[in-house]
Amino acid sequence: QTQTVHIAKPEKGKSLTDFQSVYNAIATKMKSESDYDDGTGYGPVLVRLSWHSSATYNIHDNSGGSYGGTFRFKKEASDPLSKGLENATKFLDPIHEEFPWISHGDLYTICGVTAIQELGGPKIPWRQGRVDTGPETVPAQGRLPVPEGDATYVRKYYERFGFDDQEVVALLGAHILGKTHLKNSGYDGPWDDDTNIFTNEFFGNLLERDWTLEKNDSGRMQYNAKGGIMMLPTDYALVQDPKYLKYVQKYAKDQDAFFSDFRDIYVKLLESGIDFDESIEPFVLKTLKEQSE
Ligand code: ZEM
């Protein structure tokens, strides 16, 4: 089987300061457009974009992943499972115009790092060096997960990335951010009362709320709890499977453990399939708040 090789090449002549400028431009635009999606703001949809641009990865042939920035091509972005992400790419268009030197892969990953940090999540060490590849490198559709699956489906799905049970549970904690939209996915509602604060509450909600499986207005089955919050079947799978449940309980009790494990698996996701030379240092970018202190 042929293996795709993705060697990181840093943006020429750019240093930490330049990437901090990109971070600041994204964070500032997030703040000034905080009305988006009924006051949720753009943070969650930017995190989802970083996930979908990386979610095409296949460990068996090293194809897909965030390296080539191929989400910029219609062939990839038009996947019905990515509906709604045009809001994220449109948000980023003027950022790319301001910083035309940044590759799309770097932009589609640094935006997720920016959003998580600005919304109160862990600091994410991020590395530059993704290089735009051509339309011929867009993976065939069918690599994104469907929300209808059970624990067996979720475990099998993440084998393609080489992620274990603990990593999968930590990563899915990102579903504390944002919401599902009938017009995009056919699911309906947020995962928490706060849609734009990164905490370990996804796990607390899974364990503590009274969940009822109900049919929503597009005929899809989802878990609902009082106060209008919801879980996808793939989210609820994490409490149905004893091996997953163990980590749900751990992260519900221990936000520091969640933050640290989430950081590690999110970095692994964004860097899947990329060879970084030792000379490419991870950047820990500062939040707007840290810079104003
Ligand atoms: Zn999500 N996700 N996701 N996800 N996701 C949605 C929204 C968001 C799955 C999924 O089907 C859906 C990860 C994994 C998985 C985010 C981040 C991450 C929605 C709703 C669906 C249906 C879309 C809509 O209607 O607008 C499935 C099946 C997953 C794996 C099994 C991982 C991993 C993520 C990040 C690390 C985020 C932040 C959102 C909210 C987007 C928004 O617009 O509010």
Side-chain angles (χ1 to χ4, degrees):
Q1 197 172 24
T2 47
Q3 293 282 317
T4 309
V5 179
H6 288 147
I7 296 171
K9 293 189 195 69
E11 275 86 351
K12 225 174 156 198
K14 302 297 171 192
S15 62
L16 172 60
T17 331
D18 298 288
F19 292 98
Q20 185 70 60
S21 302
V22 176
Y23 179 109
N24 291 354
I26 296 169
T28 305
K29 189 167 151 73
M30 273 171 59
K31 265 192 158 171
S32 65
E33 296 175 20
S34 59
D35 287 350
Y36 168 73
D37 204 6
D38 298 321
T40 290
Y42 277 93
V45 80
L46 293 174
V47 174
R48 185 169 177 237
L49 175 63
S50 73
W51 152 236
H52 280 216
S53 354
S54 310
T56 52
Y57 183 59
N58 185 347
I59 198 171
H60 305 297
D61 60 4
N62 208 46
S63 62
S66 69
Y67 182 84
T70 50
F71 199 91
R72 73 188 187 283
F73 295 116
K74 206 168 171 193
K75 189 178 157 216
E76 183 167 334
S78 67
D79 191 315
L81 292 171
S82 286
K83 250 186 166 173
L85 286 179
E86 63 283 358
N87 296 306
T89 48
K90 271 186 210 140
F91 174 96
L92 292 173
D93 284 343
I95 306 284
H96 197 258
E97 264 164 51
E98 192 180 346
F99 305 95
W101 48 266
I102 196 168
S103 68
H104 286 85
D106 279 353
L107 184 61
Y108 295 162
T109 51
I110 203 173
C111 70
V113 171
T114 305
I116 288 165
Q117 295 193 168
E118 290 299 309
L119 301 182
K123 300 300 287 290
I124 314 282
W126 175 86
R127 288 190 282 187
Q128 62 171 321
R130 294 164 191 77
V131 178
D132 284 5
T133 57
E136 73 287 353
T137 63
V138 175
Q141 289 188 2
R143 294 189 180 198
L144 298 171
V146 296
E148 287 81 28
D150 61 7
T152 308
Y153 169 82
V154 174
R155 184 168 287 117
K156 179 99 198 87
Y157 176 76
Y158 279 105
E159 270 175 19
R160 217 190 61 222
F161 300 74
F163 295 171
D164 66 22
D165 288 352
Q166 174 266 313
E167 292 174 318
V168 168
V169 176
L171 189 61
L172 284 174
H175 275 171
I176 188 60
L177 295 180
K179 43 189 151 174
T180 64
H181 306 80
L182 280 177
K183 65 178 190 301
N184 293 339
S185 59
Y187 288 87
D188 191 17
W191 285 274
D192 192 61
D193 323 318
D194 294 316
T195 53
N196 53 17
I197 310 178
F198 195 95
T199 64
N200 63 341
E201 272 304 296
F202 171 78
F203 303 106
N205 288 347
L206 267 176
L207 293 176
E208 285 151 28
R209 303 297 189 104
D210 259 330
W211 295 104
T212 321
L213 185 60
E214 287 172 336
K215 194 180 268 190
N216 70 26
D217 291 344
S218 21
R220 289 188 169 76
M221 301 303 286
Q222 63 178 58
Y223 292 85
N224 295 323
K226 267 210 209 76
I229 66 168
M230 65 83 68
M231 290 284 166
L232 297 168
T234 44
D235 298 316
Y236 199 72
L238 303 182
V239 290
Q240 293 175 312
D241 180 279
K243 290 189 225 119
Y244 283 147
L245 176 61
K246 192 173 81 176
Y247 298 109
V248 172
Q249 289 164 334
K250 175 178 172 173
Y251 295 140
K253 275 203 291 268
D254 187 347
Q255 174 151 296
D256 292 343
F258 168 55
F259 271 30
S260 139
D261 288 352
F262 178 83
R263 175 198 61 214
D264 292 348
I265 188 57
Y266 185 64
V267 168
K268 192 165 164 182
L269 172 74
L270 300 191
E271 298 192 344
S272 283
I274 308 174
D275 292 334
F276 290 91
D277 189 272
E278 273 166 39
S279 66
I280 306 177
E281 280 171 78
F283 290 145
V284 179
L285 298 153
K286 291 203 162 78
T287 62
L288 291 184
K289 192 158 168 275
E290 285 170 321
Q291 294 168 75
S292 71
E293 276 161 3

